[in-house]
Amino acid sequence: MKILLTGGAGFIGRHVHAQLLADGHSVRVLDSLRPDVHDVPPVIDGLIVGDIRDASVVSEALQGVDSVVHLAAKVGLGVDLDDMDDYVSTNSLGTAVLLRALGRQGVQRLVYASSMVVYGEGHYECDRHGPVAPGPRRVEDLDSGRFEPPCPVCSEPLRPGLVSEDAPTDPRNTYAATKLHGEHLAATWSRETGAHATALRFHNVYGPGMPRNTPYAGVAAIFRSMLERGEAPKVYEDGGQRRDFIHVADIASAVVAAVNAPTPPPFVAYNVGSGTVRTIGDLASELARAYDGPAPVITGAYRLGDVRHITASSDRLREHLQWKSDYDLRTGIADLIHNG
């Protein structure tokens, strides 16, 4: 199959590129090489350097293509509200330009990199009121170290659980809003063209090749950079934020499984996680142990746009596409240390 891989020069893209090639596909890469995403631009045969918002570049890149894997995006929570228009332009407009070109050229399959952040806060249950959705986090609670969201009805503590793909979405920062908008655009494209779109809601990705020192690096990359400088990882809140950390090779194998799906629905979303709930404090401790570095420091600091707990079930992906994760957090960190 001839595949266009947008964002294929990025952290996740390079791993997806390698697995697609290993699976026997022919891959063309389109990437803007924007400096806030790439530490050092990689060397990729046949790389087309261009902006996903440039219709002429996209049209050229799509020549002879059967399917598209769309990873290109401005990533991360963001630095401040000054990033809002850049997120919307790069992610939402860029996806719209791509989808218009797919429709014009008759490409019938899209795999879209979405994110678990589209859910906002995860699944919670109250002992008295059952499943409930917590309200927005309040500055006064966070300033006082009250990080767990209370029941919106009785204010009692909530029990976090796993989110399914059928859960309501509630994006709580600009990046999350653009990722969900991309899903909506892809579903619209699918309905109007009779094509097939698969959205993969990635969890917290780490592994070899992570960007090290950009403003939009993920928490694993930030902790690693601190440890490499001999510093203790600085953990926000109390370190108890529940997440699912997934190795980038597992992400790449999920993308390949979606590309190879024999009869995908017109539109379908899959959670992509390791299936193991860990905390950000766990991640910091595992990295500190692997680097033989100083123990993490719990700071109590917070970012208002963060969510407290978000872990999701990946059962649908496992059942529909026979996919499985090969790395747990300890073996994944060992691979990160060994392979960079």
Side-chain angles (χ1 to χ4, degrees):
M1 190 183 299
K2 181 75 172 184
I3 297 170
L4 173 64
L5 174 60
T6 75
F11 162 47
I12 294 174
R14 295 195 298 274
H15 289 267
V16 171
H17 184 235
Q19 289 211 27
L20 286 170
L21 291 176
D23 203 55
H25 298 288
S26 174
V27 185
R28 180 182 298 148
V29 173
L30 171 63
D31 200 296
S32 67
L33 302 183
R34 56 185 298 163
D36 61 351
V37 175
H38 300 276
D39 290 338
V40 179
V43 177
I44 297 174
D45 288 342
L47 169 67
I48 298 174
V49 179
D51 196 306
I52 193 69
R53 294 166 291 189
D54 187 329
S56 62
V57 170
V58 171
S59 179
E60 174 193 349
L62 283 172
Q63 295 300 316
V65 162
D66 303 302
S67 300
V68 173
V69 176
H70 181 33
L71 305 181
K74 182 180 174 74
V75 299
L77 172 62
V79 178
D80 53 41
L81 285 179
D82 287 342
D83 284 335
M84 183 175 281
D85 55 344
D86 194 15
Y87 273 107
V88 173
S89 177
T90 303
N91 298 356
S92 295
L93 176 60
T95 298
V97 170
L98 174 66
L99 291 170
R100 181 181 64 179
L102 297 184
R104 288 179 172 178
Q105 298 200 28
V107 177
Q108 289 291 295
R109 182 173 296 198
L110 171 74
V111 176
Y112 168 69
S114 187
S115 172
M116 55 83 187
V117 297
V118 301
Y119 298 113
E121 288 286 352
H123 177 83
Y124 292 89
E125 293 195 11
C126 173
D127 288 338
R128 293 173 57 188
H129 298 101
V132 294
R137 304 182 86 186
R138 303 189 307 170
V139 170
E140 54 267 36
D141 289 338
L142 299 173
D143 283 343
S144 300
R146 296 190 297 271
F147 301 119
E148 294 292 344
C151 174
V153 181
C154 66
S155 298
E156 290 298 309
L158 298 174
R159 290 181 286 106
L162 300 181
V163 177
S164 75
E165 291 88 350
D166 297 323
T169 52
D170 181 22
R172 298 196 174 194
N173 57 64
T174 304
Y175 170 68
T178 62
K179 285 282 99 178
L180 182 58
H181 190 206
E183 290 194 20
H184 291 165
L185 292 171
T188 299
W189 165 78
S190 173
R191 283 194 299 271
E192 293 186 1
T193 64
H196 304 273
T198 300
L200 299 179
R201 294 172 177 169
F202 298 158
H203 278 252
N204 297 78
V205 188
Y206 71 96
M210 288 190 304
R212 291 176 178 266
N213 297 305
T214 78
Y216 306 96
V219 66
I222 292 169
F223 288 162
R224 180 179 66 170
S225 293
M226 290 177 176
L227 287 161
E228 289 177 341
R229 295 192 300 266
E231 302 171 6
K234 294 179 175 61
V235 180
Y236 278 18
E237 301 184 21
D238 60 1
Q241 307 95 305
R242 290 160 55 105
R243 297 291 188 270
D244 186 332
F245 300 102
I246 179 165
H247 191 277
V248 66
D250 288 332
I251 289 287
S253 69
V255 171
V256 173
V259 166
N260 292 337
T263 53
F267 177 82
V268 63
Y270 292 113
N271 295 328
V272 188
S274 72
T276 302
V277 176
R278 303 296 296 264
T279 68
I280 289 179
D282 290 339
L283 173 68
S285 296
E286 289 284 357
L287 282 165
R289 179 196 60 78
Y291 274 97
D292 195 23
V297 173
I298 305 298
T299 67
Y302 63 86
R303 298 190 301 183
L304 190 59
D306 280 342
V307 299
R308 177 61 179 176
H309 302 300
I310 175 63
T311 55
S313 167
S314 299
D315 289 347
R316 178 187 288 181
L317 179 62
R318 294 185 179 92
E319 293 168 3
H320 288 193
L321 302 184
Q322 289 73 58
W323 172 87
K324 66 179 181 66
S325 170
D326 289 329
Y327 290 86
D328 61 23
L329 186 58
R330 182 158 292 190
T331 59
I333 287 176
D335 180 65
L336 169 64
I337 301 299
H338 182 70
N339 293 307

